[in-house]
Amino acid sequence: MEGVTIAVNGASLSPLTLFLQADIVVKAVMIGLVLASVWTWSVILGHGFRIRRIARNNEAFERDFWKAEDIDRVYDGPGRADLPSAKVFSAGVAEWRRSTGGKRVDREGTRARLSTAMSAAVAAEMDRLSDRLNILATIGSVGPFVGLFGTVWGIMRAFTDIAASQNTSLGVVAPGIAEALFATALGLFAAIPAVIAYNRLTHRLNLMEARLNRFADGFHSTLSRALESEA
């Protein structure tokens, strides 16, 4: 009989049973946290693979660019690719053509406009790549508090049941407390991966931004030398 009692008590603490026995408010909190966890992992996997692929393609583009001898050919070919490095390169070439297309060329003004155009392209690309990271930041910061709300509500319900039954035995208290703590566990389950992934992906984006700025500086130097060689 003791083995049967232990098995029943263990089953009553399973996640599904805890959910089914929970109050409607705690159930809503649990469902929201599970959906937030699913959303978190979809962003982590999708955005993580995307950033890795873009970083790899950026490196390939920059490597081929510095080997190229004809900038116009790169601009008409690989420069049209949907890559951050290609966008920075295209912004520089477009500004170069506008600034040097007239009869009189303002060298200092051209240098300043080239720097501004490529810096703006870098900022725009980083904004585009980091667009969905706010989801991870939000879930990572709010998830534990949502779980805590479910815990507080569940404990309040447990104390209400204790008062109604006028029985303070562990058998009466444990189910309600377990349901309440399960909400906190779900909050942490959603928040911890979100925080880790946010920090990791932000680090990758910072590295990519530094690389794009170095590429922009190098290309700016190339165009600046070409500007000085013009009559």
Side-chain angles (χ1 to χ4, degrees), residues 205-227:
L205 288 178
N206 289 338
L207 292 178
M208 186 182 296
E209 183 177 10
R211 187 182 184 96
L212 285 176
N213 284 324
R214 289 194 298 270
F215 173 73
D217 291 341
F219 187 40
H220 184 275
S221 298
T222 300
L223 295 177
S224 182
R225 287 191 296 270
L227 192 65

Side-chain angles (χ1 to χ4, degrees), residues 70-134:
D70 189 349
I71 291 180
D72 290 331
R73 182 175 298 176
V74 176
Y75 180 76
D76 295 331
R80 300 293 185 180
D82 188 19
L83 292 173
S85 294
K87 295 292 183 63
V88 174
F89 164 75
S90 297
V93 172
E95 183 57 44
W96 167 269
R97 291 181 175 179
R98 285 192 296 267
S99 297
T100 60
K103 295 181 179 179
R104 182 177 177 275
V105 178
D106 180 4
R107 288 181 172 81
E108 292 304 319
T110 298
R111 290 189 180 94
R113 287 189 293 271
L114 287 171
S115 178
T116 300
M118 287 189 285
S119 296
V122 171
E125 288 304 301
M126 297 315 300
D127 288 342
R128 182 172 66 90
L129 291 175
S130 62
D131 180 53
R132 299 181 65 187
L133 291 186
N134 63 325

